[in-house]
Amino acid sequence: MTEWWGLRSSRERKLIQMMGVVIAVVVLSTTLIFPIIQHHQDYAQRLPLLRASVDQLHQDAEEALRLRQQIGGAGTASFQNLGPALLAHIEQSATESGIRGQIQNITMLEGGQVELVLPKVNFNRFLGWTDQLKRTANIRIQLLNATGLDHTGGVQLRAVLQQIAPSS
């Protein structure tokens, strides 16, 4: 190969090198760049559908909770604003549900919000507990940051809860 290369004139070498660059660009673009662009376009087309699906799931969940409250008689119960007692109510509920020991930090924030930090908790158990808070005192999750820790549903999370007055 070295001997063959040495027999080529400088003009032939430049042409061969330029053809090598063109071939490399064509190979890279067809194997890497174009598929990435195609995947990006596919995701861009699917994203609005996925967002609409998530919105529909939220609407369905709200409707299911509303119907559950009506059937269970919770819809006729009067709303009791907990105000400054919100933190104590959440702590008591966490203790009763057995989740209090997993709460690392619980803090009252401005605007009647309570922040919870749980370094490791079962996500389904946490959601069950917050569902109970929602049904009993209309305390809802305003913000939830969760990071999966293992395949058994363990998560590290930070949640902000707030009591919402029902609309009349």
Side-chain angles (χ1 to χ4, degrees):
M1 185 73 175
T2 312
E3 185 179 318
W4 177 83
W5 186 254
L7 294 174
R8 303 295 121 208
S9 68
S10 64
R11 184 172 181 221
E12 284 178 318
R13 287 185 206 152
K14 286 181 184 178
L15 283 173
I16 292 170
Q17 289 171 344
M18 287 175 34
M19 280 195 331
V21 168
V22 168
I23 290 172
V25 167
V26 167
V27 167
L28 283 175
S29 61
T30 57
T31 59
L32 293 177
I33 297 171
F34 291 148
I36 290 172
I37 291 171
Q38 184 62 41
H39 286 300
H40 177 73
Q41 290 172 345
D42 292 343
Y43 290 137
Q45 289 175 351
R46 289 179 29 202
L47 186 61
L49 297 173
L50 292 173
R51 284 186 177 157
S53 177
V54 168
D55 290 342
Q56 184 62 46
L57 285 172
H58 284 288
Q59 290 173 1
D60 292 346
E62 289 294 323
E63 178 72 9
L65 288 174
R66 186 182 63 74
L67 292 172
R68 186 183 331 163
Q69 287 177 345
Q70 286 178 352
I71 292 170
T76 59
S78 62
F79 174 74
Q80 178 185 0
N81 187 354
L82 296 171
L86 178 63
L87 180 74
H89 180 82
I90 290 173
E91 284 183 321
Q92 178 184 357
S93 174
T95 302
E96 290 170 0
S97 70
I99 212 166
R100 178 64 178 109
Q102 295 169 321
I103 299 175
Q104 179 182 35
N105 190 18
I106 183 167
T107 310
M108 190 73 175
L109 303 175
E110 293 181 15
Q113 296 181 329
V114 175
E115 178 184 46
L116 304 170
V117 177
L118 294 93
K120 183 171 183 177
V121 65
N122 180 281
F123 192 64
N124 289 335
R125 186 171 180 202
F126 175 79
L127 288 181
W129 172 62
T130 56
D131 183 52
Q132 176 193 6
L133 286 173
K134 184 175 183 180
R135 285 185 279 117
T136 59
N138 213 28
I139 299 171
R140 298 176 185 227
I141 298 172
Q142 295 299 98
L143 175 72
L144 180 67
N145 292 327
T147 304
L149 296 176
D150 54 39
H151 295 290
T152 62
V155 294
Q156 174 184 13
L157 62 83
R158 176 183 167 267
V160 176
L161 306 177
Q162 183 174 15
Q163 186 179 34
I164 308 294
S167 57
S168 300

